[in-house]
Structure formats: structure tokens, C-alpha cells
Amino acid sequence: MPDPNEIFRLRREGRSAEALEAARVGLSGREDDLWFLRAYAWVLYDQVKKIVDEYEKKRLSDSEMANRISPFMREFSKMAAPLRGDTAFSQMLRLAGKVSRHWPDFLAFSQWAGIDNFSEEDRAPFITDDGGRVDSLQQRFVRAIAREAASAPADVRQTADPVLWGLTILEKALSENPTDQWLNYYQSKIDLNEDRLDDAMRRLLPILKKQSRAAWPWALLAEILEKSHPEQAVVCYIHSTELAREEQEVARVRVRLAELLATQERFQEAAFQAQLAAAYREKNGFRTPAELSRLLQSDWYSRE
């Protein structure tokens, strides 16, 4: 029967897959053995980290990453409950946060994991050598939960249990950190989607003052202005595209901007934005969303 020392030895020798099989074989009867569970968790960590690293190097699509990571995370959730508060537990949550934008099971996994089970080290901010401050892993994880809950469609926000849980996390985090710009940004997006435009604007304006040279707050301001001041919205969308440091920041913005320009019969400008949006997706091998396809197939686009 494999023991923790053997599993750690195989891991040190770079034989992580063998170590994982040994952990699986040896688990029965050791479900509460913390030393064994740590060994098991770290070899699961190795497998997940390989996937995350490949994904960050753009060697995996969103769906490929999700399909590969989910079985390991389910396996972790079945054995790791006694490790809450352990460094191995924290580090698995760190990896989950890295892919949170494109892993559909992130909120469900986070609901199981909770937000209070990080190691003591990972609950504290990190101070760099030059005295700078980096937010704690726990705080970054909470923001990822808030972001994903806020970005869920309105009907899902009202019915899906992991999303409802995520919204309670956002509400609690905002009550504890009412000036946190990211939490206010996510709440502003929810306010916008639920037609509380004044609340959305109230939360966004302090962020815009601090981040006036960033593309993302101008894009949200444009969304808020669309219904009441569509021409001003176009100006804000254009400004957002001009501020973006990387095209991926405004890939969706260009599509919405092209749609608005087309409704105002500014077809040449709309075609230009649609072309840039299409070129970015083609260059990176990304699929073309339905909204962009409609623009590219429109009568006015073919004339420009």
C-alpha cells in the first residue's frame, strides 16, 4: 500500500502521474490522514498546474482547458475537505482563480471551497522587496467570485445556486470594503443589467476618476449611457478603444461600437470597427460571435 513518503518521492523525481496513481490506490482508509492527503493534493496540483500553464501559453482553447481541468478539480473536492486552511488547499484555489473567467465550473467549485479556508499566509497581503503591497490570494479569489457572479446572465443570477452564492459573497465583500474599485465595478455592472442606472453611475464615477486612462471604465460608462444618450455612448466607446493597451481589452467593445454606429447610419466607421474586431479574432483563432457575424453579413457592410 503506497504511503505519503513514496508519493512525495515520486513527485520529487518528476514522476507526478505515477505519484497520482499511487495516491488514488492508497486513499482507502486514509481519508482523514492529513499527511497522506497533502501528498495526494500536491500531485493533483501538479496535474492542474500543467493544464493552467498550457492554457496561459495559449496552447489550449477555453473548452479544452475546462474539459481537462474539471475531472481533477472534482477529484480534489472529494478528498480535500480535511485540508481546509492548508497551503495545498490554498494553492489549488489559486489555480482555480487563474482560469476563473473561462472555467464554467468555477463558481460551483468556489462554493464548495468557501472563501475562509486559505492558509494564514494566503489571507495576508504580500509586501514586495521595494515596499509595494499586493492583495492577498484570498482577496483576489473573492474578487474572481464576484466578477463571475456579476457577469452571469440576469436569468441565471436569479436561479443558479452557485451564482446566487457568489452574489452574497460580493455583497458581503462590499460591506467590508466599500471603496474597493473592483467590487464596485462588478456591482455597477449588475446595477446596469437590472436597469438601476443611477446606482450604476454612482458606483462607476469614482472608479473613472481614478482610472481615467484605462479602457474598461469608459466602456462601462458607454453601456450605462446607451439608452439615454446614445451619441455620448459612442464617444465613450471610441475613447475606450483609443486607450486600450492590448486589442483583447476592447474586442467586445468594438462589436458593440460598430452596432451603435450602424444604427446612427455612420456605416464607414461601423465597418472599420467590425473589420478590426474580425481581424483580431481571425489572427488568434477565436470564433466569431453572432453579433459580429451579423455585422459582417449586413448590406451596408458589403457596400463599404
Side-chain angles (χ1 to χ4, degrees):
M1 183 72 69
D3 63 23
N5 291 327
E6 179 183 352
I7 295 168
F8 278 122
R9 177 182 61 78
L10 289 169
R11 183 173 184 254
R12 285 195 302 271
E13 293 174 357
R15 298 157 65 186
S16 187
E18 293 178 58
L20 179 56
E21 286 306 312
R24 288 168 174 165
V25 170
L27 178 62
S28 180
R30 288 172 164 164
E31 291 85 356
D32 297 316
D33 181 338
L34 294 183
W35 185 240
F36 183 88
L37 294 178
R38 286 191 186 103
Y40 194 164
W42 280 115
V43 291
L44 279 174
Y45 169 87
D46 291 339
Q47 299 302 313
V48 174
K49 187 175 185 299
K50 287 178 185 176
I51 298 169
V52 173
D53 288 347
E54 285 187 64
Y55 180 67
E56 291 184 328
K57 293 174 183 176
K58 302 187 184 301
R59 294 173 182 169
L60 297 175
S61 67
D62 293 349
S63 60
E64 288 171 332
M65 175 275 294
N67 289 337
R68 288 178 57 181
I69 204 174
S70 289
F72 290 117
M73 290 307 208
R74 284 194 294 269
E75 184 173 352
F76 178 75
S77 68
K78 290 177 181 177
M79 52 70 64
L83 291 176
R84 294 176 187 276
D86 190 90
T87 299
F89 196 94
S90 290
Q91 289 304 302
M92 286 294 277
L93 269 57
R94 180 181 66 84
L95 293 178
K98 281 194 163 196
V99 297
S100 56
R101 292 179 186 272
H102 302 290
W103 180 34
D105 293 335
F106 172 70
L107 284 177
F109 175 81
S110 300
Q111 185 177 17
W112 166 81
I115 62 171
D116 298 318
N117 296 301
F118 288 86
S119 66
E120 182 177 353
E121 178 184 40
D122 291 329
R123 291 197 300 269
F126 177 75
I127 306 302
T128 62
D129 292 339
D130 59 0
R133 185 180 185 277
V134 178
D135 291 331
S136 70
L137 176 57
Q138 181 185 42
Q139 188 171 12
R140 285 178 277 142
F141 190 72
V142 166
R143 286 185 184 141
I145 292 168
R147 184 193 65 236
E148 293 310 299
S151 64
D155 58 334
V156 175
R157 286 203 305 272
Q158 297 170 3
T159 58
D161 187 54
V163 176
L164 291 170
W165 170 80
L167 293 174
T168 67
I169 296 300
L170 171 56
E171 182 179 5
K172 181 175 182 291
L174 261 176
S175 70
E176 296 172 351
N177 300 284
T179 61
D180 186 292
Q181 72 172 7
W182 291 111
L183 298 176
N184 277 285
Y185 176 70
Y186 304 142
Q187 184 60 52
S188 180
K189 295 183 76 170
I190 293 175
D191 291 336
L192 168 62
N193 291 335
E194 297 182 359
D195 288 326
R196 298 191 297 269
L197 301 185
D198 289 343
D199 289 339
M201 186 70 79
R202 175 178 58 82
R203 289 190 181 277
L204 178 63
L205 287 180
I207 300 171
L208 193 59
K209 290 178 181 178
K210 292 181 180 179
Q211 300 286 350
S212 61
R213 300 300 300 169
W216 50 272
W218 286 99
L220 182 54
L221 178 60
E223 287 187 66
I224 296 171
L225 291 171
E226 274 195 34
K227 290 183 180 179
S228 58
H229 301 86
E231 292 186 355
Q232 291 182 25
V234 166
V235 172
C236 292
Y237 275 133
I238 292 174
H239 191 51
S240 176
T241 64
E242 293 171 342
L243 289 173
R245 291 169 295 179
E246 297 182 12
E247 185 60 25
Q248 65 181 13
E249 296 179 48
V250 290
R252 295 180 181 178
V253 169
R254 290 198 190 279
V255 177
R256 185 58 190 145
L257 174 56
E259 289 177 326
L260 277 184
L261 289 167
T263 62
Q264 296 176 16
E265 298 187 353
R266 297 164 62 176
F267 296 126
Q268 186 174 10
E269 295 170 85
F272 177 69
Q273 295 297 335
Q275 288 167 1
L276 290 176
Y280 168 74
R281 287 164 173 80
E282 182 178 357
K283 177 182 178 181
N284 291 279
F286 299 151
R287 71 174 184 84
T288 301
E291 299 90 339
L292 181 54
S293 293
R294 285 194 292 270
L295 290 169
L296 299 175
Q297 294 167 11
S298 62
D299 292 338
W300 60 260
Y301 183 84
S302 62
R303 295 195 302 267
E304 294 301 327

